[in-house]
Amino acid sequence: MRKSLKKNMIDYNPKAWFTFIFRFHKADTVRKLFPMFIALSAYSALIAFLELELLRISPNSDLKQITLIHSLLGFVISLLLVFRTNTAYDRWWEGRKLWGGLVNNSRNLSLKLAAMLPASNTASREYFRLMIPNFAFSLKNHLRNKFVVEELQLPAGIQLQADKHIPNQVAGLIMAHVHELYRQGQLSGEQLITINAELQSFTDISGACERIRNTPIPFSYSVFIKKFIFFFVMTLPLGYVFTLHYLIIPVVVFIFYVLASLELIAEEIEDPFGLDANDLPTDTISANIRKHVAEIL
């Protein structure tokens, strides 16, 4: 019995505000950052105790002037995080467009083959009915560095080599069968040219998805943002404790939550082909391709 496909993208109602506020799920940044919340609370409480109770530093001391530096750096860090999240979302959206193109090209190729192939050639129709969706499933698992042969529906006599590029093998088998039909005279040269764009698009989409997966944000940029957030938050209690007193504890935790959450969200969506909660629903898309191709052919 075939196992149901797991949805890795969260379904939600964007108008349900109160549901969002009180809902926690496995992708929620609160869960990931909670240990840091505890550490920052203890750190902020320690700084407040030292400055207010133990050392009794004057509220007019030079330490209070550090708040001016935070005012200036706050604008800089906001620009960096906006650029970071926008860049990550562009990668996520480009991945979604590529998979949308794969859906359309799979349907178009199926429609053209259904119209071009003789009705008597049931073997070729069955071959393409299986192999066209196989490309989507093989690409999905290839982008996750997996080879799940159980998800592929291979025609009799067809075997794939797990140590080689699986999507390329599937696309090559489809191309080879099309050209064999041309040599047999069941497809004309004009028809071959007509379906060439869809055949070529498979490897184009595969290469574009690999470019997104294999080219993360530059290491130095990612490290700089993390260090910037860390030192910005760790120096907050030094100056603001004179104004907020022990209220500095929840304030520092909340500021860290906002800044670090933006960075965590960007990290999660910059590679949209994995199994994170906010990644693309490639399992569902692949299953829909198989369903629609089967309906056409």
Side-chain angles (χ1 to χ4, degrees):
M1 184 176 181
R2 186 178 302 170
K3 296 181 180 180
S4 59
L5 292 173
K6 178 183 177 181
K7 291 184 178 180
N8 52 314
M9 188 174 180
I10 300 172
D11 294 326
Y12 67 97
N13 179 8
K15 299 180 181 179
W17 279 56
F18 290 103
T19 303
F20 290 160
I21 295 173
F22 298 106
R23 177 186 177 188
F24 292 90
H25 52 83
K26 66 178 182 179
D28 202 307
T29 53
V30 173
R31 295 179 183 272
K32 300 177 181 179
L33 297 174
F34 188 76
M36 285 298 299
F37 293 165
I38 302 300
L40 280 175
S41 298
Y43 168 77
S44 301
L46 177 62
I47 295 296
F49 175 77
L50 290 175
E51 293 189 6
L52 297 176
E53 309 294 344
L54 189 62
L55 301 177
R56 297 183 181 276
I57 300 175
S58 171
N60 297 320
S61 67
D62 293 337
L63 270 177
K64 191 174 182 179
Q65 304 307 314
I66 198 173
T67 58
L68 298 176
I69 299 176
H70 286 107
S71 300
L72 295 174
L73 293 181
F75 176 73
V76 176
I77 200 171
S78 64
L79 289 179
L80 287 173
L81 288 174
V82 166
F83 175 77
R84 175 77 171 96
T85 52
N86 284 346
T87 302
Y89 181 76
D90 285 343
R91 294 163 59 90
W92 186 93
W93 183 239
E94 183 181 359
R96 183 62 187 90
K97 289 192 294 185
L98 288 169
W99 273 82
L102 180 60
V103 172
N104 294 337
N105 289 325
S106 298
R107 292 172 179 170
N108 287 330
L109 180 59
S110 301
L111 288 168
K112 291 179 180 179
L113 289 172
M116 294 174 183
L117 289 174
S120 58
N121 192 349
T122 57
S124 292
R125 289 174 177 269
E126 178 66 11
Y127 183 90
F128 290 119
R129 185 188 71 80
L130 298 177
M131 292 301 291
I132 293 175
N134 280 344
F135 180 84
F137 280 93
S138 64
L139 178 60
K140 174 200 66 161
N141 291 316
H142 172 72
L143 295 173
R144 298 173 182 173
N145 294 318
K146 296 180 179 180
F147 175 49
V148 186
V149 70
E150 294 80 10
E151 291 187 353
L152 302 180
Q153 298 178 0
L154 298 173
I158 298 296
Q159 291 185 345
L160 300 176
Q161 301 181 38
D163 59 337
K164 295 184 178 181
H165 196 285
I166 305 300
N168 278 354
Q169 294 182 60
V170 175
L173 289 169
I174 295 174
M175 183 75 76
H177 196 82
V178 167
H179 281 270
E180 179 61 29
L181 292 173
Y182 169 70
R183 284 190 291 269
Q184 294 175 1
Q186 299 195 42
L187 289 178
S188 65
E190 292 79 6
Q191 291 174 329
L192 189 62
I193 294 174
T194 301
I195 63 176
N196 182 67
E198 284 76 16
L199 295 172
Q200 184 177 340
S201 70
F202 287 163
T203 51
D204 291 341
I205 291 172
S206 175
C209 290
E210 289 172 341
R211 171 176 51 81
I212 295 174
R213 186 198 63 177
N214 297 330
T215 313
I217 188 171
F219 175 76
S220 298
Y221 188 86
S222 180
V223 170
F224 174 74
I225 291 179
K226 290 177 175 61
K227 289 182 179 179
F228 196 169
I229 292 174
F230 177 78
F231 287 111
F232 182 85
V233 173
M234 294 296 285
T235 55
L236 279 174
L238 298 177
Y240 284 97
V241 71
F242 301 109
T243 304
L244 299 174
H245 300 283
Y246 285 98
L247 284 176
I248 192 65
I249 298 173
V251 169
V252 167
V253 170
F254 180 73
I255 292 175
F256 175 75
Y257 166 69
V258 173
L259 299 180
S261 293
L262 290 173
E263 172 64 13
L264 284 178
I265 293 170
E267 286 180 355
E268 183 173 323
I269 67 174
E270 71 178 353
D271 180 8
F273 308 117
L275 294 170
D276 293 327
N278 291 305
D279 285 339
L280 295 174
T282 50
D283 290 301
T284 304
I285 295 173
S286 300
N288 286 336
I289 290 175
R290 176 167 285 166
K291 174 185 176 182
H292 299 153
V293 170
E295 291 173 355
I296 294 170
L297 289 172

